[in-house]
Coordinates of all heavy atoms in Angstrom, one line a residue:
Chain H
P544 N 1.6 -8.4 -1.8 CA 1.5 -9.8 -1.5 C 2.0 -10.2 -0.1 O 1.4 -11.0 0.6 CB 2.3 -10.5 -2.6 CG 2.2 -9.5 -3.7 CD 2.2 -8.1 -3.1
D545 N 3.1 -9.6 0.3 CA 3.7 -9.8 1.6 C 2.7 -9.4 2.7 O 2.5 -10.1 3.7 CB 5.0 -9.1 1.9 CG 6.1 -9.7 1.1 OD1 5.9 -10.8 0.6 OD2 7.2 -9.1 1.1
Q546 N 2.0 -8.3 2.5 CA 1.1 -7.8 3.5 C -0.1 -8.7 3.5 O -0.7 -9.0 4.6 CB 0.7 -6.4 3.2 CG 1.8 -5.4 3.5 CD 1.6 -4.0 2.9 OE1 0.8 -3.8 2.0 NE2 2.3 -3.0 3.5
E547 N -0.6 -9.2 2.4 CA -1.7 -10.1 2.3 C -1.4 -11.4 3.0 O -2.2 -12.1 3.7 CB -2.2 -10.3 0.9 CG -2.9 -9.1 0.2 CD -4.2 -8.7 0.9 OE1 -4.6 -9.4 1.9 OE2 -4.7 -7.7 0.5
A548 N -0.1 -11.9 2.8 CA 0.3 -13.1 3.5 C 0.3 -13.0 5.0 O -0.1 -13.9 5.7 CB 1.7 -13.5 3.0
F549 N 0.8 -11.8 5.4 CA 0.8 -11.5 6.9 C -0.7 -11.5 7.4 O -1.0 -12.1 8.4 CB 1.4 -10.1 7.1 CG 1.4 -9.7 8.6 CD1 2.3 -10.2 9.5 CD2 0.5 -8.8 9.0 CE1 2.3 -9.8 10.8 CE2 0.4 -8.4 10.3 CZ 1.3 -8.9 11.2
R550 N -1.6 -10.9 6.6 CA -3.0 -10.9 7.0 C -3.5 -12.4 7.2 O -4.2 -12.7 8.1 CB -3.8 -10.2 6.0 CG -5.3 -10.1 6.3 CD -6.2 -9.6 5.2 NE -5.9 -8.2 4.9 CZ -6.3 -7.1 5.6 NH1 -7.1 -7.3 6.7 NH2 -6.0 -5.9 5.3
A551 N -3.2 -13.2 6.1 CA -3.7 -14.6 6.2 C -3.2 -15.3 7.4 O -3.9 -16.1 8.0 CB -3.3 -15.3 4.9
E552 N -1.9 -15.1 7.7 CA -1.3 -15.8 8.8 C -2.0 -15.3 10.1 O -2.3 -16.2 11.0 CB 0.2 -15.4 8.9 CG 1.0 -16.4 9.8 CD 2.4 -15.9 9.9 OE1 2.9 -15.0 9.2 OE2 3.1 -16.4 10.8
A553 N -2.2 -14.0 10.3 CA -2.9 -13.5 11.5 C -4.3 -14.0 11.6 O -4.7 -14.5 12.6 CB -2.9 -12.0 11.4
R554 N -5.0 -14.1 10.4 CA -6.4 -14.5 10.5 C -6.4 -16.0 10.9 O -7.3 -16.4 11.7 CB -7.0 -14.3 9.1 CG -8.4 -14.8 9.0 CD -9.0 -14.5 7.6 NE -9.2 -13.1 7.4 CZ -9.9 -12.6 6.4 NH1 -10.6 -13.4 5.6 NH2 -10.0 -11.3 6.2
A555 N -5.5 -16.8 10.3 CA -5.5 -18.2 10.6 C -5.3 -18.4 12.1 O -5.9 -19.2 12.8 CB -4.5 -19.0 9.8
W556 N -4.3 -17.7 12.6 CA -3.9 -17.9 14.0 C -5.1 -17.5 14.9 O -5.4 -18.2 15.9 CB -2.6 -17.1 14.4 CG -2.2 -17.5 15.8 CD1 -1.3 -18.5 16.1 CD2 -2.6 -16.9 17.0 NE1 -1.2 -18.6 17.5 CE2 -2.0 -17.6 18.1 CE3 -3.4 -15.8 17.3 CZ2 -2.1 -17.2 19.4 CZ3 -3.6 -15.4 18.6 CH2 -2.9 -16.1 19.7
L557 N -5.6 -16.3 14.6 CA -6.7 -15.8 15.5 C -7.9 -16.7 15.4 O -8.5 -17.0 16.5 CB -7.1 -14.4 15.0 CG -6.1 -13.3 15.4 CD1 -6.4 -12.0 14.7 CD2 -6.2 -13.0 16.9
S558 N -8.3 -17.2 14.3 CA -9.5 -18.0 14.2 C -9.2 -19.4 14.9 O -10.2 -20.0 15.5 CB -10.0 -18.2 12.8 OG -9.1 -18.9 12.0
A559 N -8.0 -19.8 15.0 CA -7.7 -21.0 15.7 C -7.6 -20.8 17.3 O -7.9 -21.8 18.0 CB -6.4 -21.7 15.2
H560 N -7.3 -19.6 17.7 CA -7.0 -19.4 19.1 C -7.9 -18.5 19.9 O -8.0 -18.6 21.1 CB -5.6 -18.9 19.3 CG -4.5 -19.9 18.9 ND1 -4.1 -20.0 17.6 CD2 -3.9 -20.9 19.6 CE1 -3.2 -21.0 17.5 NE2 -3.1 -21.5 18.7
A561 N -8.5 -17.5 19.2 CA -9.3 -16.5 19.9 C -10.5 -17.0 20.6 O -11.2 -17.9 20.0 CB -9.7 -15.3 19.0
P562 N -10.8 -16.6 21.8 CA -12.1 -17.1 22.4 C -13.3 -16.5 21.6 O -13.1 -15.5 21.0 CB -12.1 -16.4 23.8 CG -10.7 -15.8 24.0 CD -10.1 -15.7 22.6
A563 N -14.4 -17.2 21.7 CA -15.6 -16.8 20.9 C -15.9 -15.4 21.3 O -15.7 -15.0 22.5 CB -16.7 -17.7 21.2
A564 N -16.5 -14.6 20.4 CA -16.8 -13.2 20.6 C -17.7 -13.1 21.9 O -18.7 -13.8 22.0 CB -17.5 -12.6 19.4
G565 N -17.3 -12.2 22.8 CA -18.1 -11.9 24.0 C -18.1 -13.0 25.0 O -18.9 -13.0 25.9
S566 N -17.3 -14.1 24.9 CA -17.3 -15.2 25.8 C -16.6 -15.0 27.1 O -16.9 -15.7 28.1 CB -16.8 -16.5 25.1 OG -15.4 -16.3 24.8
L567 N -15.7 -14.0 27.2 CA -15.0 -13.8 28.4 C -15.8 -12.8 29.3 O -16.5 -11.9 28.8 CB -13.6 -13.1 28.2 CG -12.6 -13.9 27.3 CD1 -11.2 -13.2 27.4 CD2 -12.5 -15.3 27.7
P568 N -15.7 -13.1 30.6 CA -16.4 -12.1 31.5 C -15.7 -10.7 31.5 O -14.6 -10.6 31.0 CB -16.2 -12.7 32.9 CG -15.2 -13.8 32.8 CD -15.1 -14.2 31.3
S569 N -16.4 -9.7 31.9 CA -15.9 -8.3 31.8 C -14.5 -8.2 32.4 O -14.3 -8.7 33.5 CB -16.9 -7.4 32.5 OG -16.2 -6.2 32.8
L570 N -13.7 -7.5 31.7 CA -12.3 -7.4 32.2 C -12.2 -6.5 33.5 O -11.2 -6.3 34.1 CB -11.3 -6.9 31.2 CG -11.2 -5.5 30.8 CD1 -9.8 -5.1 30.6 CD2 -12.0 -5.2 29.6
D571 N -13.3 -5.9 33.8 CA -13.4 -5.1 35.0 C -13.8 -5.9 36.3 O -14.0 -5.3 37.3 CB -14.3 -3.8 34.8 CG -13.7 -2.9 33.8 OD1 -12.4 -2.8 33.7 OD2 -14.5 -2.2 33.1

Side-chain angles (χ1 to χ4, degrees):
Chain H
D545 283 354
Q546 288 165 339
E547 291 295 359
F549 177 79
R550 180 190 295 281
E552 195 187 349
R554 179 176 294 193
W556 188 88
L557 285 165
S558 62
H560 295 87
S566 64
L567 300 190
S569 160
L570 80 140
D571 294 329

